[in-house]
């Protein structure tokens, strides 16, 4: 330990909006979750288990957001995931035959094995609920799980303090439900911070949060150690800042690792390549060609999609290991330089979207596991830590308030507030105010139906507040769906609110909506009540 | 990789836009009027230009769909697709029956050669023709009742019209998509017939929200250090119009500045320039003929993000673990660490100038700019 020059905290933010449509037998957007499980969450879980088995000392911090946890723990979606998986497994049986003696043979076998293994892990090992796996890993002390706002609501753009408080507290209570204790870390949705949020988080018992680089560098007063030490807000919460260098190495689509030629190409998918009649049984019932997650080509270089070369799994695996070497070497150099110039043991905190690992960058989970192996076996300068551990070891830190910021394009709130999505705020704010008024009025409501109605209103409000909808409206991809979800939840909210105000909730309607939007069964509408 | 990603992104984007367009056109008479002259041609031209235009956004400039990579395979698929959908003989007989085909063909001439038109005819499915007739029929009905379109109405247009394309309570995403309602969105003259048989996703934007929530309201939100977004609702705007000479947002900053931003109250929202790390009180109101300002609504006080550095002051230190919620944290008399070197400070200054980084976020189906 004497040789330690610095600490490295890798943070993965795992989040998906709540997408659950029991009213349909299958639903396109539910595939986000299924792809996430196969490509990101299960591989991350499996690689960590490997590390534990090998006796590698590693530290990883992950935020598993409440909607993601609620989906992973939902029996309907678990059943649908198994069905999805079985369909893919069936497809790969045909594919392995079809690709025999072709340059795609190895890749086809790889997918068959991955899918088979996924089924084993998901069903046999974790009883259809992979949260069991994450909970167990957290118990080893190697993984620290953070929570997040209830539905990843964009906190700085909310109108009432009650709505912010409810988003925070619903998130914390949901964490308790799934992980059996209060959370220590809170992932600010979209890293979006505005001064004052830390006070609300401190009241919820949160110990640390993460902001983007400029949130720390432009903090008040200017932090002496930049992003290489946390600052402590006057409310007592420690704020860590994102390290620029390590972010760029992985994030950048130009210079970053994922752009490497031998890695798997994301956009060339069997769903579009295969003969239509052959692939149709594996598509959704509407028969529209979509990604199936079976991708046989490598990035190759800056060429057209049809010019991509076949993917060779062994080459990619080797490259991931080399990139892990490079990442570790760079962190060692960084730690050495910082140790000499900083005056204290620096922390380098590298947050990434978890879905980058596996879903976008297929080899990401292997890379990550290799990074931890190499940190463990090959060197002593860089110690992997969780943010909470760093504070425990280096308790004294500078007082400062982070600057308002986010990790979106341009660094502030524009991704979530621009011409494509600004129309949502007048509706969201009106709903917030109505929720606060009704929750305050019915603080001690005893009527069972009215209580259910108030809780469902709260569910509809938080679902509408999900920052994903505004994000998708900006970047595209599933714009109609995002618009529809915003409209739908606000409409259901309005209908139930009208019914409560008229004094007679329609139980039939209420039951219908309760069956659709099942998130947060534990929700408490009184979180929205104005403090007396 | 970057190139391939953006290429595909661009083509996906084009697809989405086009898909969204269709229901929008059906929504308002205004839109219909706008498009009527171009009738069937416009979407076709749009599609063509979208296909050409999309790759321009991309780095390398030549997007080719994956299927185009294998012309042989594509040909086979095309044969199969046509065979599945309809035998050629049936197509021919259907064509005879449908009166509006002539008009459609005329329109097609504007964008495609005669040969292409013939090719398109051959590959058109029954549902495509139905859709074309419907589009023509409704357009004719709304704005330009021509004899040809009138003739169509009673015959075929009635059938698809019975199926509303958007059901409020039905989620989007393709689960219950009515494929034939979308097939027609494929363009005439489309030289990739294997796509003709494949349906498009079903689009539904959900229920309509209220236009207003009653009363006078104004809210202001910070977009970034240099912009504020404000939205408002004013009750009885028409009645006030008689009294109001002009409307404005009155802005009072925390540092005591006060100024008005003239607005059109009917716009209902506005972006205004701002300064970083400043508090703002925004009000909306109107000037009467004598120049008196009447406030209609006031927004909650808000603050913009800083966006610039704060001059360094003497640092204060605390024990992070000594903090208790609701109590001021006790300060530690001095820092146990050494101070950073000048090189480190210079590096920090360089980094501050490069900020913010804006390395984005990913989401399923889309990776944010980075």
């Amino acid at each position: 330990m004497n040789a330690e020059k610095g600490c490295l905290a890798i943070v993965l933010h795992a989040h998906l909006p709540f997408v659950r449509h029991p009213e349909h037998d299958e639903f396109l957007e539910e595939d986000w979750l299924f792809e996430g499980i196969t490509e990101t969450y299960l591989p991350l879980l499996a690689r960590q288990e490997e590390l534990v088995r090998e006796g590698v000392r590693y530290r990883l911090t992950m935020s598993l957001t409440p909607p993601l946890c609620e989906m992973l723990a939902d029996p309907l979606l678990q059943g649908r995931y198994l069905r999805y998986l079985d369909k893919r497994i069936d497809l790969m049986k045909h594919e392995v035959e079809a690709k025999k003696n072709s340059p795609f043979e190895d890749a086809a076998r790889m997918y068959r094995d991955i899918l088979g293994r996924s089924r084993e892990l998901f069903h046999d090992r974790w009883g259809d609920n992979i949260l069991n796996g994450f909970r167990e890993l957290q118990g080893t002390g190697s993984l620290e799980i953070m929570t997040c706002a209830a539905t990843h609501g964009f906190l700085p753009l909310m109108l009432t303090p009650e709505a912010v408080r409810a988003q925070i507290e619903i998130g914390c209570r949901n964490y308790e439900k799934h992980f059996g204790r209060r959370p220590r870390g809170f992932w600010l949705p979209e890293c979006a911070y505005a001064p004052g949020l830390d006070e609300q988080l401190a009241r919820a018992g949160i110990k640390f949060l993460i902001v983007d680089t400029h949130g720390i560098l432009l903090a008040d007063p200017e932090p002496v150690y930049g992003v290489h030490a946390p600052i402590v807000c006057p409310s007592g919460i420690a704020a860590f800042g994102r390290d620029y260098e390590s972010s760029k190495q992985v994030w950048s689509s130009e210079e970053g690792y994922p752009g490497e030629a031998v890695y798997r190409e994301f956009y060339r998918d069997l769903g579009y390549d295969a003969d239509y009649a052959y692939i149709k049984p594996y598509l959704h019932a509407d028969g529209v060609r979509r990604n199936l997650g079976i991708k046989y080509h490598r990035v190759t270089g800056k060429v057209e999609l049809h010019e991509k070369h076949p993917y060779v799994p062994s080459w990619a695996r080797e490259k991931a290991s080399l990139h892990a070497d490079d990442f570790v070497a760079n962190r060692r150099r960084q730690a050495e330089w910082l140790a000499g110039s900083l005056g204290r043991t620096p922390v380098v905190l590298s947050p990434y979207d978890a879905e980058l690992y596996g879903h976008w960058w297929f080899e990401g989970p292997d890379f990550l596991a290799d990074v931890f192996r190499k940190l463990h076996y090959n060197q002593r300068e860089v110690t992997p830590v969780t943010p909470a551990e760093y504070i425990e070891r280096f308790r004294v830190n500078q007082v400062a308030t982070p600057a308002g910021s986010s990790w979106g394009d341009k660094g502030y709130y524009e991704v979530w507030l621009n011409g494509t999505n600004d129309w949502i705020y007048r509706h969201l704010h009106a709903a917030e105010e109505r929720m606060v008024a009704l929750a305050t009025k019915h603080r001690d409501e005893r009527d069972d139906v009215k209580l259910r109605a108030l809780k469902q209103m709260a569910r509809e409000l938080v679902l509408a507040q999900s920052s994903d909808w505004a994000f998708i409206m900006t970047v595209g991809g599933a714009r109609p769906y995002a618009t529809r979800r915003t409209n739908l939840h606000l409409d259901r909210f309005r209908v139930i609110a009208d019914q409560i105000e008229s004094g007679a909730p329609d139980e039939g309607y209420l039951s219908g909506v309760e069956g659709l939007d099942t998130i947060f069964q534990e929700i408490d509408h009184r979180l929205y009540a104005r403090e007396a | 990789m970057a190139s391939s990603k953006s290429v595909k992104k661009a083509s996906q984007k084009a697809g989405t836009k086009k898909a969204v367009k269709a229901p929008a056109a059906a929504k308002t008479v205004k839109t219909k009027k706008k498009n009527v002259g171009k009738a069937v041609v416009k979407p076709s031209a749009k599609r063509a230009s979208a296909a050409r235009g999309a790759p321009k956004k991309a780095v390398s400039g030549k997007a080719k769909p994956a299927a185009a990579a294998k012309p042989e395979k594509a040909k086979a698929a095309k044969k199969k697709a046509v065979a599945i959908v309809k035998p050629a003989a049936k197509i021919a007989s259907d064509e005879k029956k449908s009166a509006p085909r002539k008009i459609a063909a005329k329109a097609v001439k504007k964008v495609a050669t005669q040969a292409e038109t013939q090719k398109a005819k051959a590959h058109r499915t029954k549902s495509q023709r139905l859709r074309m007739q419907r589009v023509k029929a409704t357009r004719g009905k709304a704005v330009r009742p021509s004899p040809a379109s009138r003739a169509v109405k009673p015959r075929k247009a009635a059938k698809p019209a019975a199926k509303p394309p958007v059901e409020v309570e039905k989620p989007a995403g393709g689960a219950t998509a009515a494929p034939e309602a979308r097939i027609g969105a494929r363009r005439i003259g489309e030289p990739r017939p294997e796509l003709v048989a494949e349906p498009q996703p079903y689009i539904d934007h959900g229920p309509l929200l209220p236009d207003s929530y009653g009363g006078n309201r104004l809210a202001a939100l910070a977009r970034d250090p240099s912009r504020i977004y404000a939205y408002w609702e004013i009750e009885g705007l028409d009645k006030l119009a008689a009294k109001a000479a002009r409307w404005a947002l009155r802005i009072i900053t925390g540092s005591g500045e006060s100024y008005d931003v003239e607005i059109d109250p009917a716009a209902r929202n506005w972006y205004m320039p701002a300064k970083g790390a400043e508090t703002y009180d925004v009000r909306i109101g109107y000037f009467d003929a004598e120049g008196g300002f009447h406030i209609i609504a006031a927004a909650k006080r808000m603050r913009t993000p800083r966006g610039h550095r704060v001059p360094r002051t003497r640092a204060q230190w605390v024990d992070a673990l000594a903090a208790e919620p609701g109590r001021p944290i006790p300060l530690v008399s001095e820092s146990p660490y050494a101070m950073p070197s000048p090189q480190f400070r210079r590096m920090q200054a360089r980094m501050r100038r490069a900020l913010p980084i804006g390395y984005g976020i990913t989401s399923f189906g889309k990776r944010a700019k980075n």
Side-chain angles (χ1 to χ4, degrees):
Chain A
M1 237 12 165
N2 289 339
E4 182 186 83
K5 303 273 191 223
C7 298
L8 171 67
I10 295 181
V11 182
L12 299 184
H13 171 51
H15 166 64
L16 284 176
F18 189 71
V19 177
R20 179 183 177 275
H21 292 277
E23 69 275 30
H24 293 285
D25 182 46
E26 55 171 22
F27 202 83
L28 171 64
E29 280 78 8
E30 285 177 356
D31 284 1
W32 295 344
L33 174 70
F34 306 154
E35 288 166 19
I37 295 175
T38 315
E39 296 167 354
T40 296
Y41 313 135
L42 274 178
L44 286 175
L45 202 52
R47 296 302 173 283
Q48 288 186 71
E49 282 202 292
E50 279 168 29
L51 294 176
V52 171
R53 269 202 302 277
E54 291 166 23
V56 173
R57 183 199 173 277
Y58 77 95
R59 290 291 183 270
L60 179 65
T61 307
M62 282 184 82
S63 59
L64 298 175
T65 66
L68 178 61
C69 292
E70 288 285 277
M71 288 193 289
L72 289 174
D74 182 76
L76 177 87
L77 291 174
Q78 289 166 355
R80 288 185 178 187
Y81 175 64
L82 278 178
R83 186 181 64 183
Y84 166 95
L85 202 53
D86 288 340
K87 240 178 160 181
R88 294 286 187 283
I89 289 172
D90 179 58
L91 169 63
M92 286 323 296
K93 272 186 203 149
H94 297 288
E95 276 295 290
V96 167
E97 281 303 308
K99 297 288 189 291
K100 221 171 225 173
N101 301 322
S102 81
F104 306 109
E105 187 174 359
D106 285 352
R109 282 217 209 93
M110 176 193 75
Y111 285 117
R112 181 197 60 191
D113 297 347
I114 288 176
L115 291 165
R117 179 97 185 104
S118 296
R119 202 181 197 292
E120 263 172 51
L121 280 172
F122 183 83
H123 186 63
D124 307 337
R125 175 112 169 80
W126 300 120
D128 297 348
N129 184 353
I130 60 170
L131 290 180
N132 295 330
F134 285 108
R135 200 184 306 117
E136 201 168 281
L137 278 172
Q138 172 148 266
T140 67
S142 300
L143 172 69
E144 161 107 29
I145 302 171
M146 301 168 75
T147 193
C148 187
T151 50
H152 215 257
F154 198 90
L155 303 177
L157 295 178
M158 286 181 191
L159 187 68
T160 59
E162 289 83 5
V164 175
R165 179 183 66 196
Q167 276 274 346
I168 292 171
E169 190 53 33
I170 293 167
C172 292
R173 291 185 189 177
N174 191 256
Y175 183 96
E176 276 184 277
K177 176 170 111 178
H178 292 296
F179 301 107
R181 65 165 172 85
R182 286 289 284 190
R184 291 192 287 190
F186 188 93
W187 178 272
L188 290 166
E190 319 293 7
C191 278
Y193 176 83
L197 278 178
D198 54 289
E199 285 160 30
Q200 300 239 36
L201 288 164
R203 274 200 285 276
I206 296 297
K207 301 288 179 223
F208 69 91
L209 52 85
I210 292 160
V211 294
D212 204 347
T213 319
H214 54 300
I216 298 289
L217 293 190
L218 306 180
D220 181 19
E222 190 182 295
V224 174
Y225 301 110
V227 292
H228 298 296
I231 55 174
V232 180
C233 309
S235 58
I237 287 196
F240 288 81
R242 166 152 73 153
D243 171 58
Y244 171 74
E245 216 181 298
S246 54
S247 277
K248 204 169 93 170
Q249 265 187 305
V250 179
W251 269 114
S252 168
S253 57
E254 288 287 329
E255 315 153 49
Y257 299 135
E260 174 62 40
V262 297
Y263 285 152
R264 191 186 78 167
E265 168 61 50
F266 179 83
Y267 287 108
R268 185 84 190 264
D269 193 287
L270 184 67
Y272 292 93
D273 276 357
D275 186 80
Y276 185 62
Y278 169 75
I279 208 70
K280 195 168 180 290
Y282 303 99
L283 300 171
H284 279 263
D286 66 355
V288 177
R289 279 187 191 269
R290 292 191 180 94
N291 282 349
L292 291 174
I294 312 295
K295 302 160 202 287
Y296 285 119
H297 294 82
R298 59 180 193 256
V299 173
T300 314
K302 290 194 172 184
V303 296
E304 305 298 336
L305 275 183
H306 69 278
E307 292 166 338
K308 301 276 174 187
H309 294 178
Y311 179 68
V312 183
S314 58
W315 295 0
R317 182 67 191 82
E318 203 174 312
K319 196 73 201 178
S321 189
L322 289 175
H323 277 156
D325 270 332
D326 181 68
F327 187 82
V328 171
N330 275 309
R331 297 292 76 71
R332 286 168 74 180
R333 269 199 289 278
Q334 190 181 16
E336 210 151 301
W337 187 82
L338 285 170
S341 59
L342 197 67
R344 65 180 284 181
T345 309
V347 63
V348 168
L349 186 128
S350 319
Y352 308 99
D353 246 356
E355 292 78 17
L356 177 72
Y357 290 83
H359 176 66
W360 292 101
W361 178 19
F362 182 63
E363 298 77 9
D366 285 331
F367 161 85
L368 201 60
D370 278 356
V371 164
F372 286 124
R373 284 192 187 98
K374 287 163 202 288
L375 285 172
H376 179 76
Y377 290 115
N378 298 359
Q379 56 88 45
R380 286 282 168 271
E381 291 92 339
V382 180
T383 314
V385 294
T386 65
E389 266 178 349
Y390 186 86
I391 307 171
E392 276 161 24
R393 286 184 55 198
F394 305 96
R395 297 173 60 138
V396 176
N397 289 291
Q398 190 184 349
V399 184
T401 307
S405 52
S406 87
W407 77 347
D409 189 25
K410 297 182 192 166
Y412 296 96
Y413 315 144
E414 191 178 345
V415 172
W416 298 272
L417 179 65
N418 58 63
T420 64
N421 54 23
D422 53 19
W423 62 272
I424 66 176
Y425 293 100
R426 71 172 67 236
H427 302 290
L428 289 174
H429 290 171
E432 269 182 42
E433 286 180 323
R434 204 166 180 198
M435 184 75 227
V436 171
L438 282 171
T440 310
K441 188 178 168 199
H442 296 270
R443 198 195 304 261
D444 305 313
E445 183 60 60
R446 297 205 184 280
D447 180 79
D448 181 51
V449 181
K450 274 192 190 161
L451 258 180
R452 276 171 51 200
L454 287 160
K455 285 176 196 285
Q456 197 58 34
M457 268 179 72
R459 283 186 200 109
E460 299 303 330
L461 174 57
V462 289
L463 285 171
Q465 283 174 327
S466 180
S467 74
D468 305 84
W469 312 141
F471 177 79
I472 296 170
M473 286 173 203
T474 300
V475 303
R479 216 171 264 147
Y481 181 69
T483 309
R484 187 174 174 285
R485 286 290 301 269
T486 305
N487 287 340
L488 201 60
H489 294 302
L490 285 167
D491 187 63
R492 288 174 184 164
F493 175 91
R494 188 182 53 81
V495 170
I496 301 173
D498 284 352
Q499 290 175 357
I500 294 177
E501 274 172 0
S502 73
D506 173 353
E507 215 187 326
Y509 179 82
L510 183 62
S511 305
V513 177
E514 278 174 335
L516 293 173
D517 300 326
T518 54
I519 196 168
F520 307 136
Q521 286 303 302
E522 72 281 7
I523 206 162
D524 184 354
H525 71 282
R526 288 170 301 186
L527 289 172
Y528 284 97
R530 217 171 276 124
E531 279 165 15
Chain B
M1 169 126 140
S3 99
S4 69
K5 279 187 180 174
S6 41
V7 165
K8 184 76 185 205
K9 245 186 251 174
S11 59
Q12 276 173 349
K13 212 174 188 177
T16 318
K17 265 187 193 161
K18 166 193 52 145
V20 175
K21 233 151 208 142
K27 253 182 205 166
T28 59
V29 177
K30 212 173 166 190
T31 327
K32 281 175 196 164
K33 263 185 189 164
K34 241 184 183 175
N35 290 341
V36 73
K38 290 143 195 167
V40 183
V41 183
K42 179 128 188 221
S44 157
K46 258 210 169 137
R47 159 81 180 174
S49 71
R52 279 194 302 273
K56 278 181 195 160
K57 290 176 209 157
V59 184
S60 56
K62 274 180 278 166
K64 249 185 212 171
K70 299 173 188 165
E72 305 248 63
K73 213 170 187 181
K75 259 185 204 167
K78 149 184 151 184
K79 271 184 202 162
K80 215 175 269 177
V82 172
I84 290 166
V85 174
K86 185 157 299 180
K90 181 90 166 65
I91 290 175
S93 74
D94 276 357
E95 273 167 8
K96 265 181 221 160
K97 278 187 231 160
S98 64
R101 285 217 27 76
K102 281 176 196 165
I103 303 157
K106 259 187 207 168
V108 169
K109 272 183 202 164
K110 292 180 190 171
V111 288
T113 62
Q114 190 61 41
E116 276 172 326
T117 313
Q118 291 305 324
K119 205 172 171 186
K121 270 183 197 172
H123 294 301
R124 206 165 284 142
T125 62
K126 182 181 176 188
S127 45
Q128 263 185 308
R129 283 194 299 282
L130 281 178
R131 182 182 160 81
M132 283 174 54
Q133 287 158 11
R134 193 166 76 244
V135 166
K136 194 160 292 297
T138 46
R139 279 191 182 142
K141 211 192 274 175
V143 277
R144 202 179 60 173
S146 70
S149 62
R150 265 203 299 275
V152 181
K153 257 185 275 165
R155 267 209 309 157
K156 291 217 167 181
K159 196 180 164 192
K163 268 189 196 172
V166 175
E167 282 179 54
V168 169
E169 276 308 314
K170 261 187 193 168
T176 53
E180 78 269 24
R182 302 294 321 143
I183 288 174
R186 287 281 175 207
R187 303 301 157 220
I188 307 151
E190 172 59 69
R192 292 170 49 208
E194 84 279 12
L195 288 183
V196 171
E198 295 175 23
Q200 287 251 305
Y202 170 83
I203 309 284
D204 172 5
H205 289 98
L208 287 177
L209 297 176
D211 204 35
S212 72
Y213 290 90
N216 297 318
R217 355 167 13 108
L218 172 70
L221 301 168
R223 188 192 79 176
D224 53 41
S226 64
R227 277 293 148 191
I228 295 173
Y229 169 74
Y231 70 82
W232 59 83
E233 262 178 38
I234 298 165
E235 220 169 24
L237 187 60
D238 299 345
K239 283 180 197 159
L240 287 171
K243 297 189 220 166
R246 58 198 170 89
W247 286 81
L249 291 169
R250 173 152 293 178
I251 292 151
I252 301 155
T253 69
S255 45
E257 245 181 298
S258 169
Y259 53 92
D260 297 332
V261 175
E262 208 163 307
I263 51 149
D264 173 0
R268 287 163 50 98
N269 67 80
W270 215 261
Y271 286 91
M272 294 166 281
K275 279 193 292 195
E278 181 66 280
T279 47
Y280 288 89
D281 284 303
V282 184
R283 280 127 205 216
I284 191 166
Y286 62 88
F287 288 94
D288 59 25
E290 283 80 44
F293 188 67
H294 301 264
I295 293 169
I296 298 295
K300 210 174 119 180
R301 176 171 298 175
M302 47 84 63
R303 194 172 172 81
T304 48
R306 181 172 305 107
H308 55 81
R309 69 179 285 211
V310 187
R312 181 170 291 184
T313 50
R314 197 182 148 78
Q316 292 185 309
W317 303 88
V318 287
D319 177 350
L321 294 184
E324 280 178 55
R327 282 192 193 172
I329 9 170
L331 293 178
V332 175
S333 56
E334 60 183 54
S335 160
Y337 318 111
M339 285 293 123
S341 66
Q343 290 99 310
F344 178 78
R345 287 189 189 155
R346 277 200 292 277
M347 188 199 77
Q348 292 289 287
R350 268 204 307 278
M351 194 174 265
R352 262 196 310 272
R353 281 196 293 275
L355 291 174
I357 307 165
Y359 272 108
I361 334 104
T362 65
S363 85
F364 273 66
K366 206 84 189 173
R367 190 165 162 196
K369 179 186 162 187
N370 63 19

